[in-house]
Amino acid sequence: MWQPEGICKRCDMELLARSLVGLGLWILALMAVSQGTNFEVIGDEKTMDIYCSAEEDQGDISFREFVDVSGLTFDVADDLETLFYNGDIKMLMDVPQGPITMQVDVFRWQRSQWLPTPLSLKRDNFCQSLLSPYELWHPILRNIPKEQLKCPPTKGHIYTLTNVSNHLFVKNMPNMDIAGDLKAVVHLSAGGHKTCAVVFVKIYAN
């Protein structure tokens, strides 16, 4: 059974989610039409509200019920936007053995509402694709010791982050109309259970 040990009051999973800058790179690649634009990608401050809305949430377990990031700390750079995260992420429960599936749907803030985009990502076996250098989570995982990359994780397992940033500059990327506020709704499923989280990024074209 996938049962929570308890709800961590300070499990601000946004500290991890904000470092998913690779998501911005994936979005840029999907919308490619021509070359030559520089982009700035920042983990948005709205990620502090990682809970999915009632309409978005299809899960039965909260993200914060099984992940403890109270061991993470961050340093603020001189630009007051860039954050560097360091410390441990601890699993509070066992994740069932077997494939973990992931579905990501991306929305853009337009006309005072979140509108769906054609962008989506699906993985039938997240663990199998975990170590691929071409996946959107690679910028995070390359900062975690390989011996810690256990998937699916078990209760008490620890992932250590080292200087994971929420801020990235990408040069000479495809020229596209993608600047603005983006929201990725992430659903993870395993062993008949499902959880939901939201990741926000801001993208600026330079």
Side-chain angles (χ1 to χ4, degrees):
M1 292 291 292
W2 191 13
Q3 296 292 336
E5 181 182 71
I7 299 177
C8 176
K9 295 181 180 179
R10 296 191 59 215
C11 288
D12 293 330
M13 190 58 188
E14 66 276 359
L15 296 179
L16 174 60
R18 293 178 73 166
S19 65
L20 293 179
V21 178
L23 178 63
L25 298 176
W26 163 69
I27 293 169
L28 296 177
L30 283 177
M31 299 187 68
V33 292
S34 62
Q35 297 292 322
T37 302
N38 298 330
F39 290 94
E40 181 180 4
V41 184
I42 303 176
D44 195 289
E45 69 275 2
K46 291 192 299 295
T47 301
M48 298 297 286
D49 182 17
I50 195 170
Y51 287 114
C52 294
S53 68
E55 293 179 348
E56 297 164 337
D57 195 352
Q58 303 170 10
D60 61 322
I61 296 180
S62 168
F63 220 42
R64 300 187 187 188
E65 288 185 63
F66 66 92
V67 179
D68 177 6
V69 295
S70 61
L72 287 180
T73 61
F74 65 89
D75 297 314
V76 182
D78 292 340
D79 62 9
L80 302 181
E81 289 184 320
T82 306
L83 304 176
F84 294 97
Y85 297 103
N86 293 277
D88 294 336
I89 300 168
K90 183 179 180 180
M91 302 304 298
L92 297 176
M93 67 179 76
D94 291 328
V95 175
Q97 296 297 310
I100 299 174
T101 63
M102 181 181 69
Q103 174 73 38
V104 182
D105 297 292
V106 179
F107 300 80
R108 186 177 181 184
W109 184 253
Q110 294 178 290
R111 299 188 292 277
S112 301
Q113 60 183 321
W114 289 108
L115 298 178
T117 74
L119 306 180
S120 64
L121 177 68
K122 183 177 181 180
R123 293 290 180 269
D124 293 326
N125 192 328
F126 176 74
C127 290
Q128 194 174 61
S129 59
L130 186 65
L131 298 179
S132 171
Y134 304 106
E135 295 286 6
L136 61 94
W137 42 82
H138 181 67
I140 302 171
L141 298 185
R142 67 186 179 188
N143 291 288
I144 299 176
K146 288 186 177 181
E147 62 271 16
Q148 293 185 357
L149 294 179
K150 179 180 180 179
C151 190
T154 54
K155 178 180 176 181
H157 187 73
I158 290 176
Y159 299 98
T160 302
L161 299 186
T162 303
N163 292 327
V164 174
S165 176
N166 72 324
H167 197 172
L168 186 66
F169 293 91
V170 187
K171 297 182 179 180
N172 298 319
M173 289 297 289
N175 183 21
M176 64 196 75
D177 181 21
I178 191 59
D181 295 323
L182 300 178
K183 174 179 73 169
V185 179
V186 183
H187 290 105
L188 296 167
S189 302
H193 295 279
K194 180 179 286 188
T195 190
C196 177
V198 178
V199 178
F200 294 90
V201 295
K202 287 183 180 291
I203 297 182
Y204 301 94
N206 300 315

